[in-house]
Amino acid sequence: MAIQWFPGHMHLTQKAIAERVKDIDVVIELLDARLPGSSANPMLADLTGHKPGLKVLNKQDLADPERTALWLAHYNAQPATRAIGLDASQTTPARQLIDACHQLSPLRGGMAKPMRVLICGIPNVGKSTLINTLTGTRKAKTGDEAGITKLEQRITLADDFYLWDTPGMLWPRIIVAKSGYNLAASGAIGRNAFDEEEVALELLNYLKGPYAGLVEARFKLDPIEGFSDEEVLEAVGRKRGALLGKGRVNLQKAAEVVMHEFRNGNMGRITLETPEEYAQWRAAGELIDAERRAKKEARAQKRRPGGGRDPE
Ligand SMILES: Nc1nc2c(ncn2[C@@H]2O[C@H](COP(=O)(O)OP(=O)(O)OP(=O)(O)O)[C@@H](O)[C@H]2O)c(=O)[nH]1
Ligand SMILES: [Mg+2]
């Protein structure tokens, strides 16, 4: 089952952004540098009326630097898109953002025409942390959990520069199955909306490829080449003493360990997708979604009076 999470407060956030954006000059979308494709809201450009936008790859300190460079090049090669990398807790790079906003909206600035910037992105990506870093205060509430910011909040950076913090938002249908897993692994999905064991197995399935060495080193495992995902999870559980008795491994506990260590960057700097991989996943997801929509339409047609039969 694909992971979906679009609770009512996100629907409200979506409406609030659509309304607010009329008075906004620049939209900053914070992406998670460990999943820059999966964390990008496919509906954002429409929602924000194609206002000047900046993509910021945040949590860069946790991501694979080679892959961050690939993703920045990928986004910067797209028309009307600018992207920069960031660690939201560091002040000097965060100031780059202010300069970028002035470049994107050069006519704004000064008390009469203050710069108005909306910061949005998936839950837990670091929006509020970034605002606190920029303002040098703790005005915005932050936390290591999805859904900390509940309501839109305006924060004054300077007399002529306003920032809007928004609650984390996903989108009504995640059509790329792998994105659902990566979002869950990153901490963007509410804990009741997915199965931890399933997400940990998917995560290990991916890590086994490019990052097998990091997994082996962190959990002190023998080479995992040729191991199934379940075998890797079991091996982690054994090493960490997650046992149920009679030598059986507590897979739920092992899954929690894997996710926790990934989120904290304990295995090392990891990025769960390259631009090429993500493009393939998306193409496959779009195909499946097109089939789903065609089937739905066919069903709807059958239900219509006289539907399903050719007129004679
Ligand atoms: N390593 C690292 N951690 C970060 C970074 N930015 C934010 N965090 C951490 O990520 C967690 C979430 O940060 P928040 O700023 O609350 O995220 P948010 O996007 O406002 O989350 P919601 O309001 O729930 O949507 C916190 O534990 C932050 O300390 C970063 O650049 N690097
Ligand atoms: Mg927040």
Side-chain angles (χ1 to χ4, degrees):
M1 257 303 275
I3 293 171
Q4 306 291 351
W5 195 46
F6 195 68
H9 75 264
M10 285 189 197
H11 186 67
L12 294 178
T13 300
Q14 193 172 291
K15 284 216 282 208
I17 289 180
E19 191 56 36
R20 171 68 52 210
V21 83
K22 293 172 195 149
D23 310 318
I24 287 295
D25 305 304
V26 175
V27 176
I28 294 182
E29 183 179 22
L30 237 60
L31 304 180
D32 189 322
R34 299 166 301 170
L35 41 144
S38 294
S39 56
N41 186 334
M43 297 168 56
L44 192 69
D46 283 340
L47 184 61
T48 59
H50 300 265
K51 287 266 163 128
L54 178 66
K55 291 195 188 303
V56 174
L57 271 61
N58 193 40
K59 303 200 179 181
Q60 204 187 179
D61 52 311
L62 300 174
D64 181 337
E66 276 177 30
R67 289 186 170 196
T68 300
L70 289 179
W71 275 105
L72 289 175
H74 167 81
Y75 279 127
N76 280 319
Q78 289 180 2
T81 309
R82 270 210 62 194
I84 59 176
L86 197 76
D87 168 352
S89 57
Q90 295 206 332
T91 312
T92 317
R95 304 290 307 179
Q96 278 182 31
L97 279 185
I98 296 171
D99 298 338
C101 289
H102 282 300
Q103 279 168 18
L104 282 166
S105 191
L107 299 178
R108 300 298 303 195
M111 300 279 270
K113 282 187 293 173
M115 176 74 78
R116 300 155 305 173
V117 177
L118 184 80
I119 300 197
C120 52
I122 59 166
N124 206 29
V125 69
K127 299 174 291 296
S128 302
T129 303
L130 171 63
I131 287 181
N132 287 342
T133 302
L134 286 171
T135 53
T137 61
R138 299 187 51 77
K139 281 181 198 157
K141 195 174 162 204
T142 66
D144 184 15
E145 206 185 320
I148 293 290
T149 305
K150 299 274 191 266
L151 283 173
E152 162 190 83
Q153 184 185 3
R154 192 185 91 168
I155 285 149
T156 307
L157 181 65
D159 287 343
D160 65 347
F161 205 115
Y162 302 148
L163 294 162
W164 270 266
D165 189 10
T166 63
M169 192 177 62
L170 290 159
W171 36 100
R173 180 171 288 277
I174 298 171
I175 64 165
V176 183
K178 191 77 181 154
S179 291
Y181 290 117
N182 287 354
L183 287 164
S186 79
I189 306 245
R191 61 175 63 193
N192 295 326
F194 64 91
D195 179 77
E196 268 157 338
E197 203 178 310
E198 194 186 341
V199 171
L201 286 171
E202 275 294 323
L203 178 59
L204 290 171
N205 176 271
Y206 187 83
L207 298 180
K208 271 191 329 190
Y211 300 111
L214 295 182
V215 176
E216 290 159 3
R218 176 68 193 170
F219 299 108
K220 303 194 174 63
L221 305 180
D222 292 333
I224 56 175
E225 208 191 323
F227 274 34
S228 70
D229 308 335
E230 288 79 5
E231 283 167 340
V232 181
L233 187 60
E234 271 197 37
V236 169
R238 275 185 211 294
K239 284 284 177 184
R240 291 299 174 88
L243 299 172
L244 286 169
K246 291 197 184 144
R248 280 189 308 134
V249 171
N250 183 340
L251 292 175
Q252 169 66 27
K253 200 79 179 276
E256 284 167 19
V257 169
V258 168
M259 305 252 289
H260 182 78
E261 305 246 330
F262 167 71
R263 287 179 185 174
N264 279 348
N266 296 345
M267 293 181 229
R269 298 179 69 171
I270 290 173
T271 299
L272 297 177
E273 47 199 48
T274 64
E276 275 172 25
E277 284 169 340
Y278 180 72
Q280 285 170 11
W281 301 338
R282 199 170 76 176
E286 278 169 0
L287 218 61
I288 293 169
D289 196 57
E291 280 169 21
R292 180 192 64 82
R293 271 183 287 133
K295 274 191 197 149
K296 194 173 157 195
E297 177 56 27
R299 276 200 304 275
Q301 206 143 51
K302 258 194 189 154
R303 277 200 297 275
R304 275 180 213 132
R309 274 170 266 128
D310 286 335
E312 294 192 21

